[in-house]
Amino acid sequence: VNKTKNKNRANITITTELKKIDSVLEKHLLKKTPLRRNILLAFVKSKSSLTQAELIGAVAKEMEIVDRVSIYRNLSNMKDAGVLHEVDANNYIYCSHECGSHAHLLLFCQNCRKHQEVKDHQKIGSFMGELDEFRFFGKKQPIFLRGVCESCS
C-alpha cells in the first residue's frame, strides 16, 4: 500500500512539473515537444546543473530514441529563449521564470553544482546601474557568481 501511495505522489509531482514546464515553454513561445519537455524535466529532477552528456543520459532513460543533434539544437534554442542558462562550458541550469523581466543574480556552487537566485531585484538593479559610472553597460543576463555554497564549505 505504501509503495502505491508513493508512486501516486510521484505521478502527481511529475504531472504538476510538466504543467509548469508547459507554461514556461508557452511564455517563451517555444513549442511543447516531447523532447523539450523531457529535457526540462531532467533539469527539474536533477535539482542542479547538467552537462550535455548527463542530459543525454537522463533523456535516454525517458525516450526510446535520443538524437544528440536534436538535443544540442534544443539546448541552444532554449538558451537563446532564456529558459536555460550556460553556467560553464556545456553545463546548463534551468530557469523557470521570465528572465527578461528583470536583472537577476544566480549563485552557482562549483562543488555540488546547485544554484539559487538572489531575489532582491532592487539591489541587483542598483548594482547594474552602478556599472554606468564605469562606462560599462552590462548586457548579458543573468549575472553568475561561482563559488562554494554553505553546505559544501
Side-chain angles (χ1 to χ4, degrees):
V1 175
N2 284 340
K3 285 184 181 182
T4 305
K5 284 183 182 180
N6 289 340
K7 190 174 183 179
N8 287 340
R9 282 188 204 136
N11 287 338
I12 290 169
T13 302
I14 297 288
T15 302
T16 302
E17 290 303 328
L18 284 172
K19 286 179 182 177
K20 290 178 187 175
I21 287 168
D22 286 347
S23 175
V24 167
L25 290 171
E26 282 178 23
K27 267 198 294 192
H28 289 85
L29 305 174
L30 295 168
K31 288 183 183 177
K32 294 181 278 185
T33 66
L35 181 57
R36 284 187 180 142
R37 292 173 92 210
N38 276 296
I39 287 172
L40 295 181
L41 191 57
F43 281 100
V44 169
K45 286 179 178 179
S46 78
K47 297 181 181 159
S48 67
S49 67
L50 291 174
T51 64
Q52 288 178 346
E54 291 168 334
L55 180 61
I56 289 167
V59 172
K61 289 179 184 176
E62 302 298 324
M63 301 180 79
E64 281 185 38
I65 300 171
V66 178
D67 177 22
R68 289 175 187 254
V69 174
S70 294
I71 288 180
Y72 297 149
R73 188 178 333 104
N74 277 281
L75 279 173
S76 179
N77 290 340
M78 288 191 280
K79 182 178 135 185
D80 290 345
V83 176
L84 298 176
H85 298 302
E86 191 170 14
V87 291
D88 279 319
N90 299 319
N91 196 356
Y92 299 86
I93 58 172
Y94 172 50
C95 185
S96 62
H97 66 278
E98 188 68 47
C99 290
S101 61
H102 61 272
H104 60 283
L105 171 65
L106 292 171
L107 307 176
F108 179 72
C109 179
Q110 292 175 304
N111 289 348
C112 67
R113 296 180 13 206
K114 292 187 178 177
H115 66 281
Q116 65 185 42
E117 180 182 359
V118 175
K119 301 285 185 183
D120 191 334
H121 304 300
Q122 191 171 17
K123 285 184 182 175
I124 297 166
S126 176
F127 168 75
M128 294 298 287
E130 291 294 321
L131 293 176
D132 291 348
E133 180 181 324
F134 298 99
R135 295 193 166 280
F136 182 84
F137 306 98
K139 291 185 180 183
K140 189 169 182 178
Q141 293 288 335
I143 303 163
F144 290 101
L145 284 180
R146 291 170 182 81
V148 179
C149 70
E150 184 178 21
S151 299
C152 294
S153 62

